[in-house]
Amino acid sequence: MSTNNGYILVEQSLNLSGTASLLGAKNAALPIMASLILTSGKSVLYNVPNSADIKEMIELLEDLGAKIDFDKEKNILEFDGSFINKAEVKHEVMDKMRASILVMGPLLSRFKKARAAFPGGCLIGARPIDFHLKGFESLGVKITNDSEFIYATIDGQLKEERKIVLEYPSVGATENLVMFAVLQAGVTKIINAALEPEVLDFLEVLKKMGANISFEIPATIIITGVKKLNSVSHTIIPDRLEAGALLLAAAITGGNIELPDARPDHMDLFLEKLKQMGHEINIGFNNLSSNKNIKTGVKLIATKSQRAVNIKTCPYPGFPTDLQAPIMAALCLANGVSVVEETVFENRLMHVKELEKMGAQISVKNNKATVNGVDHLYGASVIASDIRASAALVLAGLAAKGKTQVFGINHWRRGYDKLEDKLINLGAKIEIINN
Ligand code: EPZ
């Protein structure tokens, strides 16, 4: 577990209260940035978080020839795809960030060939890409690989009518395959597609570019190929995962918080679980500027005595795997026994043993954690195993008596853009200690 470059020092900070804004969703920004490979000309993205994963994607795209200007303060990313002239992704770039596999579909679309590497796995799982590769092959793409790279080429004419049935609604596979299909003549159907809010925002951008995309029930995306896609301007949706971490910071410390730009329609089940835990939730008190029919805003007033609830992670609109670790931190202090079942990733309960170092009482059997609520947690030195575990451990540190050192700060930086500053504005005593 990487514990390089410092740690997050968290001191008990009860009753966190106030208002916080949200940045754009990392998991929407990454595929949207990759989709810009499909265009020439200047595009602009607003509300782009300045996190390490975004920085990696910028470096990857610049290596392919894109011209990118990212205003880190205003969170505005300007992109010009006119000079993209490479269809090969460097190995060292692929190793740094899994999501780099998302450039395979657009490169294949633009150049009729692409070379990528198997993305590095991580601690939460092997992170295979078989659904991506099987999907490309079922569309008529030729996939080969050697010990280092994966090669994709289009030999000859693709079939006019194409259908992919995904074994699992994989977010990345859905996005990669759509980015290939949008410029291929004919019709492509993707059945059992992922439809997370981030995927829908990504599809919105492609439609703005001129892609012909429609939906069918159940969970089917239909793409009719077009000849060309145009550059685009888009504001990334607010990050439901940043919103979740902020709401839980108020919940776990007995405070109250208002998130004016949060999209309650992106987090129905998560908000339902917070209500079941006893927290007061008010939603929808603002209008989204770009669409008056969409209400934004979530307020939480924490209960002083949280109830235990059961959680089972599933593809959207089920409970998001990326909020499993953060809500588990709060359940450690709930009255009663909560069962948290992780069904999306095969190894995403490693934060359990770190929470136990803080006094949590949790037992794990296969992919289920049984959390016996305790009265208090105690500060400890803990290590984050992934982005969302780092949020869980910071949240636990806010409630715990004493001080907590959260190592694995690189995970925190990968997934969040100065979230610590937002927590400090709510009253949190947090300090980033760089070694
Ligand atoms: C995306 O990852 C997100 N990342 C993840 O967020 C998120 O947890 C995940 O979707 C699920 O919602 C980005 O969008 C950049 P999947 P992705 O393909 O696309 C297995 C975070 O913390 N699988 O839906 O990789 C896979 O191993 C990150 O922000 C295959 O077996 O997720 C996993 O068990 C973590 N073969 C399950 O499917 C494949 O070809 C879901 O993966 C692809 C996936």
Side-chain angles (χ1 to χ4, degrees):
M1 228 168 280
S2 162
T3 61
N4 60 4
N5 59 21
Y7 60 90
I8 307 166
L9 180 62
V10 187
E11 197 174 332
Q12 186 178 45
S13 315
L14 298 181
N15 190 28
L16 292 192
S17 300
T19 298
S21 62
L22 298 174
L23 281 166
K26 161 181 87 83
N27 291 349
L30 290 172
I32 289 169
M33 287 165 72
S35 76
L36 297 177
I37 291 172
L38 297 165
T39 66
S40 293
K42 288 186 173 27
S43 292
V44 186
L45 299 178
Y46 299 93
N47 210 21
V48 179
N50 177 24
S51 57
D53 267 9
I54 297 295
K55 182 171 162 288
E56 300 293 0
M57 183 59 88
I58 289 173
E59 285 174 12
L60 188 165
L61 294 168
E62 285 178 333
D63 182 65
L64 296 175
K67 303 281 178 244
I68 296 177
D69 180 40
F70 184 30
D71 182 330
K72 296 182 175 65
E73 293 311 312
K74 291 184 185 152
N75 301 99
I76 299 174
L77 187 142
E78 293 177 346
F79 178 102
D80 187 340
S82 310
F83 309 99
I84 292 177
N85 55 10
K86 268 172 73 179
E88 291 85 25
V89 184
K90 283 184 184 152
H91 207 298
E92 56 275 22
V93 169
M94 292 291 297
D95 283 347
K96 282 187 193 169
M97 183 189 57
R98 266 196 48 72
S100 32
I101 190 65
L102 291 175
V103 302
M104 196 163 179
L107 287 175
L108 192 51
S109 224
R110 181 163 176 160
F111 296 108
K112 307 283 179 245
K113 64 176 183 172
R115 188 202 74 186
F118 285 96
C122 61
L123 285 162
I124 64 177
R127 310 298 293 275
I129 55 168
D130 51 328
F131 301 158
H132 299 240
L133 302 181
K134 273 184 213 156
F136 284 128
E137 285 177 323
S138 71
L139 293 178
V141 174
K142 185 162 168 284
I143 302 280
T144 57
N145 70 280
D146 58 27
S147 59
E148 214 183 349
F149 293 109
I150 308 164
Y151 305 89
T153 50
I154 302 177
D155 286 345
Q157 200 57 32
L158 297 185
K159 290 173 270 185
E160 267 294 299
E161 297 286 313
R162 301 175 288 266
K163 183 171 87 170
I164 303 164
V165 185
L166 286 174
E167 277 176 60
Y168 183 92
S170 156
V171 168
T174 299
E175 293 164 343
N176 226 343
L177 293 164
V178 166
M179 286 190 277
F180 171 64
V182 286
L183 285 175
Q184 306 311 314
V187 178
T188 305
K189 266 193 179 185
I190 303 176
I191 296 164
N192 196 18
L195 294 169
E196 270 72 0
E198 295 79 19
V199 176
L200 296 179
D201 199 33
F202 155 80
L203 292 172
E204 200 49 45
V205 169
L206 286 170
K207 286 162 80 172
K208 278 186 180 177
M209 289 177 179
N212 182 337
I213 296 172
S214 58
F215 300 94
E216 248 174 24
I217 296 171
T220 300
I221 300 176
I222 301 168
I223 302 124
T224 305
V226 294
K227 290 207 179 326
K228 184 176 179 301
L229 293 174
N230 308 308
S231 50
V232 70
S233 164
H234 184 75
T235 301
I236 308 287
I237 53 167
D239 193 343
R240 61 187 169 124
L241 303 176
E242 185 185 32
L246 287 162
L247 289 166
L248 285 163
I252 200 171
T253 61
N256 63 79
I257 188 169
E258 179 173 337
L259 303 178
D261 37 37
R263 289 281 301 269
D265 58 317
H266 290 170
M267 351 187 228
D268 282 313
L269 185 49
F270 173 67
L271 296 177
E272 187 50 40
K273 287 295 175 183
L274 289 175
K275 278 188 234 170
Q276 289 172 15
M277 289 172 71
H279 301 295
E280 184 186 327
I281 301 286
N282 296 308
I283 64 169
F285 35 86
N286 293 318
N287 285 319
L288 185 68
S289 52
S290 57
N291 177 340
K292 296 289 176 231
N293 300 326
I294 296 177
K295 296 286 184 195
T296 68
V298 177
K299 271 184 203 166
L300 177 144
I301 299 172
T303 174
K304 295 302 179 205
S305 168
Q306 293 183 116
R307 292 193 290 266
V309 296
N310 294 334
I311 301 286
K312 178 175 181 177
T313 67
C314 297
Y316 190 82
F319 192 93
T321 175
D322 294 333
L323 286 173
Q324 178 259 107
I327 203 166
M328 186 188 286
L331 293 173
C332 289
L333 291 166
N335 295 316
V337 180
S338 305
V339 175
V340 178
E341 184 178 359
E342 172 59 49
T343 75
V344 175
F345 288 101
E346 66 267 29
N347 188 28
R348 203 175 197 179
L349 293 172
M350 282 168 296
H351 42 281
V352 166
K353 63 182 178 313
E354 302 305 308
L355 290 167
E356 287 179 306
K357 289 179 190 170
M358 302 176 72
Q361 285 183 13
I362 309 172
S363 61
V364 174
K365 188 167 183 334
N366 300 327
N367 63 340
K368 268 187 197 173
T370 301
V371 184
N372 291 280
V374 294
D375 291 338
H376 297 290
L377 293 175
Y378 301 89
S381 182
V382 291
I383 302 176
S385 46
D386 72 283
I387 296 172
R388 311 306 169 181
S390 73
L393 296 169
V394 166
L395 292 173
L398 292 169
K401 289 177 182 289
K403 293 184 180 180
T404 298
Q405 295 174 314
V406 180
F407 289 91
I409 192 170
N410 50 309
H411 295 297
W412 177 264
R413 288 199 171 113
R414 274 190 50 216
Y416 302 107
D417 177 0
K418 298 192 284 301
L419 179 56
E420 65 275 9
D421 291 349
K422 296 180 182 176
L423 291 168
I424 289 166
N425 287 340
L426 297 171
K429 293 186 274 298
I430 291 185
E431 196 181 343
I432 303 284
I433 311 291
N434 289 307
N435 275 346

